[in-house]
Amino acid sequence: FNEMLPEGTGTVVGILTRYNNYVQIVIRDLKDVQGFTTPAHSETIFSVNYPNAFNEGWLKGTSGAGTGWDVLSNSSFNGFFINAAGTSTNSYLISPEIDMSMVSEPTLTFKHRAPLGGSANNMKCYYTPNYTGDISTTLWIPIPVNEFSTSTTDFSFKLPSGAISNKTRIAFQYEGSGKSWYISNIFITAILNE
C-alpha cells in the first residue's frame, strides 16, 4: 500500500532492497513506523488590511508640527507611507493590540523603502507590550532596522520573549525632514501554543 510517512522524526523498521538502480525500504506493517511527531508550523497571526487600517485600530501620532503617516493603496503600492519632504516631523504609526499570549517564536516581517534615502537615525521600528495611550510615556523597545534602500527591501525580526503579551503593539517612527518612508506587507507569524 502507498501511504506517506508522517512529518517529523521517528523510527522505521523495514527491509532494504534494490530494484534496478533504486534503493527502497519495504515496510511490513504500519506498526514498524514509530515515534513520529509533527513539527510545529508558523501561522500568520497578524496582517494589515491597508485601505481600512485606521478604521481597524492603527493609530498615528505626531509630536509637534509636521506631516503624519497615511495609507497609499493603488496598483503599484499598498501600504503605509510618510512624506516629510519640505517639513520636519516626529511621527509615529502604531499597530492595534496584537494578542501574542498564546504563541511562541513570533516573527515580524515587512517590506520597506526610502526613495530619498534614510537611516536608523530617523527611521525606527519598535514594539511595546504595554501601550499607555501616550507616545511619550510608553516604553518603546527598539527593533533593529539597519538597511534603508531606495528600492524595496525585505525585513524580518524574531521578536524576543519580552514582546509576548496579549497587548503587544508594533510602531514605526519617522523623525526628521526631507525624506519619505514606505512600509508594506506587515505580518507577524508565530507557532500557536496548544
Side-chain angles (χ1 to χ4, degrees):
F1 51 107
N2 284 333
E3 289 192 30
M4 296 295 293
L5 285 175
E7 293 184 23
T9 58
T11 60
V12 176
V13 175
I15 302 166
L16 185 64
T17 67
R18 183 179 200 121
Y19 178 76
N20 292 329
N21 290 330
Y22 300 98
V23 176
Q24 303 174 348
I25 295 179
V26 178
I27 299 171
R28 299 169 296 156
D29 189 273
L30 283 179
K31 294 176 190 162
D32 289 338
V33 179
Q34 298 289 319
F36 280 85
T37 57
T38 304
H41 294 285
S42 289
E43 296 186 25
T44 299
I45 62 166
F46 180 76
S47 62
V48 183
N49 176 8
Y50 293 99
N52 296 314
F54 293 115
N55 295 326
E56 295 177 356
W58 280 87
L59 306 170
K60 50 185 170 178
T62 301
S63 170
T67 188
W69 290 90
D70 211 342
V71 170
L72 178 62
S73 187
N74 59 37
S75 61
S76 61
F77 182 79
N78 192 29
F80 297 111
F81 80 101
I82 187 165
N83 184 356
T87 185
S88 181
T89 190
N90 182 14
S91 187
Y92 283 76
L93 172 67
I94 304 165
S95 77
E97 288 182 349
I98 305 162
D99 185 355
M100 294 198 288
S101 61
M102 301 298 290
V103 303
S104 57
E105 300 183 34
T107 300
L108 168 67
T109 59
F110 59 87
K111 294 180 180 292
H112 70 118
R113 70 184 177 97
L116 303 172
S119 75
N121 293 329
N122 58 1
M123 298 175 180
K124 300 172 183 169
C125 184
Y126 304 96
Y127 74 88
T128 185
N130 188 23
Y131 180 59
T132 65
D134 183 342
I135 295 167
S136 63
T137 61
T138 297
L139 174 62
W140 295 107
I141 297 122
I143 295 173
V145 180
N146 298 315
E147 185 177 349
F148 296 89
S149 175
T150 56
S151 59
T152 301
T153 303
D154 292 325
F155 176 80
S156 179
F157 180 75
K158 183 177 174 185
L159 294 164
S161 60
I164 298 174
S165 85
N166 62 342
K167 295 183 176 187
T168 302
R169 289 184 188 247
I170 304 297
F172 298 92
Q173 178 194 17
Y174 176 85
E175 184 175 17
S177 63
K179 306 289 183 189
S180 58
W181 195 14
Y182 292 76
I183 301 169
S184 63
N185 295 72
I186 302 170
F187 293 99
I188 295 178
T189 57
I191 296 170
L192 302 179
N193 298 335
E194 307 249 345

